Amino acid sequence: MTGPVTLGIDVGGTKILGLAVDGAGVVLAEEKAPTPRVLAPEGSGDSGGDAVIETIVDVAERLLDALAADGDTRGRSERVSAVGVGVPGLVDDDGWLRFAPNLPGGEGLDVKGRLSELLAPVKVVVDNDATCAVMGEWIYGAAAGATDAVVVTLGTGIGGGLIVNNAVARGALGFAGEIGHMVVDPAGPACPCGKRGCWERFASGSGLGRLAREAAHAGRLDEVLRAAGGDPEAVRAEDVTAAAAAGDEGAQAVLGELGWWLALGLANLANILDPSVFVLGGGLVDALNLVIEPVRTAFDNLVEGRLGRPEVMISLAMLGERSGAVGAAVLARRDHRALARRPD
Amino acid sequence: MTGPVTLGIDVGGTKILGLAVDGAGVVLAEEKAPTPRVLAPEGSGDSGGDAVIETIVDVAERLLDALAADGDTRGRSERVSAVGVGVPGLVDDDGWLRFAPNLPGGEGLDVKGRLSELLAPVKVVVDNDATCAVMGEWIYGAAAGATDAVVVTLGTGIGGGLIVNNAVARGALGFAGEIGHMVVDPAGPACPCGKRGCWERFASGSGLGRLAREAAHAGRLDEVLRAAGGDPEAVRAEDVTAAAAAGDEGAQAVLGELGWWLALGLANLANILDPSVFVLGGGLVDALNLVIEPVRTAFDNLVEGRLGRPEVMISLAMLGERSGAVGAAVLARRDHRALARRPD
């Protein structure tokens, strides 16, 4: 075990993943729990986030227990130097969750305050989940060594984490990286955020489901439709990725459509930020393996001045589904907001 | 006169503007020339950029002469410490222009090498014109004091300059800030860059001309159409801005359309970068004065989580058409690429 141990907890749309990580990035313990989807009853005066907070605390306590079982006989709070938590949505400098379209009940939650109280005296830091993922991939993964990189987390929605000028870019208010809500088609489908045609309506897991249902309605996904019981509205993203992996051409075409929209958004980001590498992570990554070459080709056709610029790398996340939790642990062991600058 | 004098030369789509600027940002001399539009004859082996280089040198020499006339009796090359040049397109670390859709004949031009030879022994630095504009507005203009800002130059196309984490963001290759080629409608009009529906097809001077011709064809711009001789294809952006300023409702509606597309792109950039301020510059700015309030309203409706975040400022460039030339002069007096970090 090298250096101080920290906990990193990644709150996803469907599950909460917690890791205990040592100072060299080695994972010492792992615990999971499903993300509670229960909303508070109307008029209860509760933000609805209690269940989320309780589950995070539960995961943290199971990690502390696991460290004890592993022979660390110090008091609970001495086993770790800090806890980092990544949450989906806009997190302000005080650790409040300000906007959380993909975490029902999370909006307006004082994540840092509540957790600091329940986990005292252990220090708690809270940040956007994609910012955590970029930190994990930048320090220990596919973006290591890059001065400019973008980590794209493809799950229910699309999150982003930015490395600019050799540092994590948070923006003026800590809200940078909300790349999934870049509008790429103002006449496109409605988004829970209130706009139309956000990138994540096309290139995320929920986007894949939508593209698949459109294809099913249009008769371009007959095998998958039959397996789903014949109702186009019952077709899910998972059905398409499974069928594509099994060689179904209709399903592969739908994945190709997703890949084209993915490439379009990446090209937009390349034009704006000029990263040397894109790192693709999140739950959709396994499916992307099937279309990564078409994505690269489409990207080359869409990025400005392709012939005059060296190739931009498009890599899959090396830490897999652990990027966010590892990054949250890295953030926890540093001076958090002040920091985020890679050691030279 | 304070500190070292540098020259800043901004190469625009229609004119080349040169300034001699002292160390406090005071403009000591100004010279202009039209941007040459002559292309080299095919097969001449010439990139076509000779005329551009010659005009830049001419503007620089007239500035040096003006400084002499102003009483600076030193040798020509001692009158200034360096020359900064901003050019429209992708500029690499060696000062070559790699991609220049808005400067015919400029592509593949060794701007820095050619100018260094002709202006020796004065040091020459070359950068993207919008990067120069952001530097001017950040050091002496509307973005002063911001840690995160975006300067949007609205001319023939749309250029961008980014301040991220209190420094100019250039990207991995120096190509960052090509925000005009963010695709906002993949089914939209073709762009000279080879794609469809780039932001600058809607929200630039050429975008305004296109929106106006569409409106004229659709019978929504009758007054302007009559003034233009009755041919919808003869309607120009300037006709619309003039008519809008004079109170023509059809023209104001077209400007409003431009404003909506402008707001859409700004909201995308806010979601990605979270700047505290947008600075709008370039030739279209006077026209924007007429629609700046609708732009702000549309932006508020389009940016993610508006209710949870403080207002993002949308300001007009303080240095007006001089932002780029002043910024080029600032870049010239600093250690250029290494630098670009605001003094604390």
Side-chain angles (χ1 to χ4, degrees), chain B residues 139-195:
Chain B
I139 300 299
Y140 294 119
T147 61
D148 295 83
V150 178
V151 174
V152 181
T153 50
L154 302 154
T156 309
I158 301 180
L162 316 179
I163 301 296
V164 177
N165 279 343
N166 210 31
V168 171
R170 299 174 184 286
L173 302 165
F175 294 172
E178 288 290 314
I179 59 178
H181 295 285
M182 163 172 65
V183 172
V184 293
D185 180 5
C191 183
C193 81
K195 292 183 292 181

Side-chain angles (χ1 to χ4, degrees), chain B residues 39-187:
Chain B
L39 289 170
E42 273 197 55
S44 67
D46 179 350
S47 77
D50 280 353
V52 172
I53 296 292
E54 280 160 22
T55 308
I56 295 170
V57 170
D58 177 55
V59 167
E61 292 188 335
R62 278 154 49 198
L63 287 167
L64 292 172
D65 290 344
L67 290 175
D70 212 29
D72 190 336
T73 56
R74 292 172 293 180
R76 287 170 70 90
S77 68
E78 289 152 20
R79 286 173 208 150
V80 299
S81 64
V83 178
V85 180
V87 290
L90 302 181
V91 180
D92 72 14
D93 277 345
D94 296 322
W96 287 68
L97 188 53
R98 291 295 182 190
F99 190 65
N102 294 321
L103 188 70
E107 204 154 318
L109 197 60
D110 176 11
V111 182
K112 181 175 174 174
R114 299 278 296 276
L115 290 175
S116 295
E117 202 176 298
L118 293 164
L119 293 170
V122 179
K123 186 182 76 168
V124 175
V125 303
V126 179
D127 214 323
N128 174 268
D129 56 348
T131 302
C132 292
V134 77
M135 184 58 93
E137 288 293 328
W138 185 42
I139 300 299
Y140 294 119
T147 61
D148 295 83
V150 178
V151 174
V152 181
T153 50
L154 302 154
T156 309
I158 301 180
L162 316 179
I163 301 296
V164 177
N165 279 343
N166 210 31
V168 171
R170 299 174 184 286
L173 302 165
F175 294 172
E178 288 290 314
I179 59 178
H181 295 285
M182 163 172 65
V183 172
V184 293
D185 180 5

Side-chain angles (χ1 to χ4, degrees), chain A residues 232-264:
Chain A
E233 289 304 313
V235 172
R236 295 164 311 155
E238 305 87 278
D239 303 332
V240 177
T241 54
D248 182 281
E249 287 185 13
Q252 286 170 350
V254 171
L255 263 189
E257 237 183 301
L258 167 95
W260 186 86
W261 285 103
L262 177 60
L264 178 82

Side-chain angles (χ1 to χ4, degrees), chain A residues 207-231:
Chain A
L208 179 59
R210 197 185 55 75
L211 292 171
R213 287 186 288 276
E214 274 185 15
H217 278 291
R220 290 184 277 113
L221 209 53
D222 288 346
E223 291 295 322
V224 174
L225 182 57
R226 202 167 306 133
D231 176 8

